Amino acid sequence: AQKVTQAQTEISVVEKEDVTLDCVYETRDTTYYLFWYKQPPSGELVFLIRRNSFDEQNEISGRYSWNFQKSTSSFNFTITASQVVDSAVYFCALLNSGGYQKVTFGTGTKLQVIP
Amino acid sequence: NAGVTQTPKFRVLKTGQSMTLLCAQDMNHEYMYWYRQDPGMGLRLIHYSVGEGTTAKGEVPDGYNVSRLKKQNFLLGLESAAPSQTSVYFCASSYNTGSGGYTFGSGTRLTVV
């Protein structure tokens, strides 16, 4: 069975602060993929990043960065110098590559950036 | 560049009524999915399809049926709506589940009274 845990239900930060969203996953497979999605107040789900289990290199995209650590089964997401537009619910997700190919989502972390 | 289109966007049903949610994608994706989103529970998979003419059950399939008669369309049916089916429903598609992320529709907010 696979599981994704986002222990932080809600986070509030003041604009320009850095914030890290935690994601811990469980899987028995050696090949899998991890994702982050953003759901702004408008409700749509926006794909942010995909990482496969063989690539532990951290990734940076503008103010966003992702830290993947297989040793701790974590795939954390950091927003640097947060902005009001970052306010959203963020979902971490896991896909196993074998047979039953579906994505398991965490319960989401609601981020509020206060101006 | 429509991507994934869901109709309707909002609907209110009375208990026992039936309805069909339509999902259409124009990206020639093989895989399509129906999720429901409830507060504090993230997204849960209802049914999915790995190609035209195929469907399979997800985590929470009870009370729903699906059909994939055409590659671009994935229909979700509620035969006898119940208040427990009040939720936001998202359709998603992907070319290959390992090659990239899902493309989601904008969601359907369904209320069953």
Side-chain angles (χ1 to χ4, degrees), chain A residues 91 105-108, chain B residues 36-45 59-60:
Chain A
F91 291 96
F105 286 83
T107 52
Chain B
R36 59 178 289 173
Q37 182 179 21
D38 302 292
M41 303 189 75
L43 285 84
R44 293 181 292 168
L45 182 66
E59 300 172 63
V60 288

Side-chain angles (χ1 to χ4, degrees), chain A residues 37 39 50 95 100-101 103, chain B residues 35 37 48 57 97-98 102:
Chain A
Y37 287 85
Q39 187 177 40
R50 176 189 71 110
L95 166 70
Y100 181 31
Q101 296 198 2
V103 176
Chain B
Y35 282 84
Q37 182 179 21
Y48 67 104
K57 294 180 180 180
T97 55
Y102 289 174

Side-chain angles (χ1 to χ4, degrees), chain A residues 72-89:
Chain A
T72 56
S73 297
S74 65
F75 186 43
N76 296 338
F77 173 30
T78 297
I79 302 174
T80 303
S82 59
Q83 301 176 1
V84 173
V85 293
D86 296 326
S87 296
V89 179

Side-chain angles (χ1 to χ4, degrees), chain B residues 7 26 35 46 52 60 79 83 93 107:
Chain B
T7 53
D26 60 3
Y35 282 84
I46 305 171
E52 181 178 320
V60 288
E79 291 187 349
S93 71

Side-chain angles (χ1 to χ4, degrees), chain B residues 15-83:
Chain B
T15 297
Q17 286 185 319
S18 64
M19 78 163 294
T20 299
L21 281 65
L22 171 64
C23 177
Q25 53 95 3
D26 60 3
M27 298 169 287
N28 201 35
H29 284 172
E30 290 292 336
Y31 294 75
M32 296 187 75
Y33 311 83
W34 276 107
Y35 282 84
R36 59 178 289 173
Q37 182 179 21
D38 302 292
M41 303 189 75
L43 285 84
R44 293 181 292 168
L45 182 66
I46 305 171
H47 286 280
Y48 67 104
S49 168
V50 299
E52 181 178 320
T54 74
T55 63
K57 294 180 180 180
E59 300 172 63
V60 288
D62 294 342
Y64 305 95
N65 56 75
V66 288
S67 64
R68 184 97 181 269
L69 299 180
K70 294 183 178 181
K71 186 177 183 178
Q72 63 267 34
N73 296 336
F74 194 30
L75 279 62
L76 177 70
L78 286 73
E79 291 187 349
S80 180

